[in-house]
Amino acid sequence: MEATSIGAQGPGQQPRLQAPGRRWGERLIEGSLVMCAILSVVTTTAIVIALLGPTFGFFDVVPIDDFLLGTDWTPTFSPPSFGVLAIVAGTLSVTIWAMVFAIPIGLGAAVYLSEYAHPRVRKVIKPVLEILAGIPTVAIGFFAASFLIPHVIRPLWPGEFLGGANTPFMALGAGLGVGLMIVPIVASISEDAMAAVPSGLREGAYAMGATKAKVATRVVFPAALSGIVASIVLAISRAAGETMIVLLAAGSTPQLTFNPVESVQTITAFIGTASTGDIPTGSVTYKSVFAAGTVLFVMTLAMNLFSIRLVRKYREVYE
């Protein structure tokens, strides 16, 4: 342990302690952390560059207004059509149904674990809940396609709304599968945010005669709102970027519809099916994969920027 040295002092002056120089291990750790930060920035920049090059080449052939405003997406047909709205609608449809399923269940689990569950129960339930995040998405996709759609959705959904369609793929089934996958994200991060709320706020509410339900909904939930919003936005980004579940359960029929019982194609499903090596490198269809990836990147980036502003607006700081 390094000793501090006492500096020169004059009459009536207090001893001045000089801090010892930083150890080389500290500098090594700081340098490693800086390199990690730089690596993340470089990786993101490289991804953007890799997307933009072929995307610009794609727009040299396909007008950007046809791409952004068109509703027919058939890049492998002859003649091809590159209206991205069809697969954007499929992505949004699956994501919306996933969040409709995941947000209530995830927040309900978070409130229970934070405010109602006994500590011993919490230590058992939370790890079990997080195991769901470790299940391979291909298994969830098969579960959605082989069980949720034929044995849950079809028996419960009114026959007239199915339109006589007998397809084993639908946006609702894929949305429920993706929702199962992201429930642990919403529940775990929201529960951590609620647990970080100072106990003094709860004790003050209980001292005023509030019930546990009112403390959870009117004190803890608003105080943890920034963390809850962050968990929901992270879950939305994860749902929009999911590939295997939508590939197995949503189908590959690009169409501009939000009907939950129809087959749709998402951006990630198109990228997954098109990037199999069957498309000639450098062709317009090949470059359309990068253009679709750029659209997805912009969508998630916009969502993250929006979430940053939202979190900063509702962030609570406690001393």
Side-chain angles (χ1 to χ4, degrees), residues 35-287:
M35 289 301 299
C36 291
I38 294 175
L39 180 62
S40 64
V41 175
V42 170
T43 303
T44 305
T45 305
I47 293 174
V48 173
I49 294 174
L51 287 174
L52 291 182
T55 300
F56 288 146
F58 172 79
F59 287 128
D60 288 339
V61 179
V62 179
I64 190 170
D65 55 339
D66 291 348
F67 177 74
L68 295 178
L69 302 178
T71 58
D72 294 327
W73 182 261
T74 54
T76 58
F77 288 12
S78 181
S81 181
F82 299 98
V84 77
L85 286 181
I87 55 176
V88 169
T91 302
L92 293 177
S93 179
V94 172
T95 303
I96 289 171
W97 286 110
M99 300 314 299
V100 167
F101 176 81
I103 290 178
I105 295 179
L107 293 183
V111 171
Y112 171 74
L113 292 174
S114 175
E115 304 302 316
Y116 290 90
H118 190 275
R120 292 182 180 178
V121 178
R122 185 184 301 114
K123 289 180 180 179
V124 175
I125 293 182
K126 189 170 182 180
V128 172
L129 180 66
E130 292 176 346
I131 288 176
L132 188 62
I135 298 177
T137 56
V138 63
I140 300 178
F142 275 118
F143 173 73
S146 61
F147 179 78
L148 290 180
I149 293 177
H151 300 296
V152 177
I153 298 176
R154 289 192 175 277
L156 296 178
W157 202 272
E160 57 269 20
F161 290 104
L162 291 174
N166 219 8
T167 175
F169 309 109
M170 60 178 63
L172 180 58
L176 293 182
V178 175
L180 284 173
M181 178 193 67
I182 62 177
V183 161
I185 297 176
V186 178
S188 180
I189 299 179
S190 298
E191 194 274 333
D192 291 339
M194 294 179 185
V197 175
S199 58
L201 294 179
R202 296 179 175 88
E203 294 169 358
Y206 285 131
M208 296 178 66
T211 62
K212 185 169 287 189
K214 287 186 178 180
V215 170
T217 56
R218 299 186 182 182
V219 177
V220 177
F221 194 92
L225 188 59
S226 62
I228 293 172
V229 170
S231 71
I232 293 175
V233 172
L234 180 62
I236 292 174
S237 300
R238 181 67 183 88
E242 173 54 31
T243 302
M244 190 55 65
I245 296 176
V246 297
L247 198 60
L248 295 172
S252 56
T253 307
Q255 52 183 333
L256 185 60
T257 178
F258 287 93
N259 188 338
V261 295
E262 288 191 11
S263 173
V264 296
Q265 186 177 50
T266 65
I267 296 176
T268 53
F270 164 71
I271 295 174
T273 55
S275 304
T276 57
D278 297 332
I279 299 176
T281 303
S283 63
V284 179
T285 304
Y286 173 81
K287 293 178 181 179

